[in-house]
Amino acid sequence: MNLGFSLYPDQHSLEEMTAYVKRLMQHPFKRVFLSLLQMDVHDDAMMEKYQAIIQLCKSKQLLVIADINQSLIDQLGWNGLLVDKARAFGLD
């Protein structure tokens, strides 16, 4: 069984999420879900926050799964290279 949990970077500080991930790693979680729909791709601080939490999760060997939509794909310029760009962003 692959248990997972969700993170909401737009609602919590990086410090809160880091502590949460570390606490949950005491249990057999294998994946984490993030919604990228509320991410503002023009907000550098927000983009860095998402990247930091994704990298933390990857360092804990968690699969990172995300909710995206066509609007976000367009904003990020991922059209045509969705899988490659998503993987480069840290998504599984």
Side-chain angles (χ1 to χ4, degrees):
M1 177 185 316
N2 287 323
L3 297 175
F5 59 93
S6 297
L7 293 174
Y8 300 93
D10 62 309
Q11 297 178 14
H12 302 281
S13 72
L14 182 57
E15 294 77 19
E16 289 171 319
M17 289 184 298
T18 298
Y20 184 62
V21 169
K22 288 180 180 178
R23 188 170 60 246
L24 289 177
M25 293 314 302
Q26 298 171 11
H27 305 283
F29 291 107
K30 300 292 182 197
R31 62 181 70 190
V32 62
F33 170 81
L34 299 171
S35 175
L36 303 186
L37 300 178
Q38 59 281 10
M39 188 171 66
D40 180 354
V41 301
H42 303 292
D43 182 339
D44 291 338
M46 181 179 280
M47 293 296 288
E48 289 174 14
K49 183 178 179 182
Y50 273 79
Q51 281 291 283
I53 198 63
I54 289 169
Q55 291 308 312
L56 170 66
C57 292
K58 299 301 283 182
S59 76
K60 303 293 185 189
Q61 286 74 50
L62 290 165
L63 292 174
V64 180
I65 300 163
D67 192 10
I68 61 174
N69 63 16
Q70 188 61 50
S71 177
L72 181 67
I73 293 167
D74 293 341
Q75 290 175 45
L76 290 168
W78 289 3
N79 286 305
L81 300 169
L82 178 58
V83 174
D84 292 335
K85 294 290 188 173
R87 286 215 170 126
F89 194 72
L91 305 178
D92 292 295

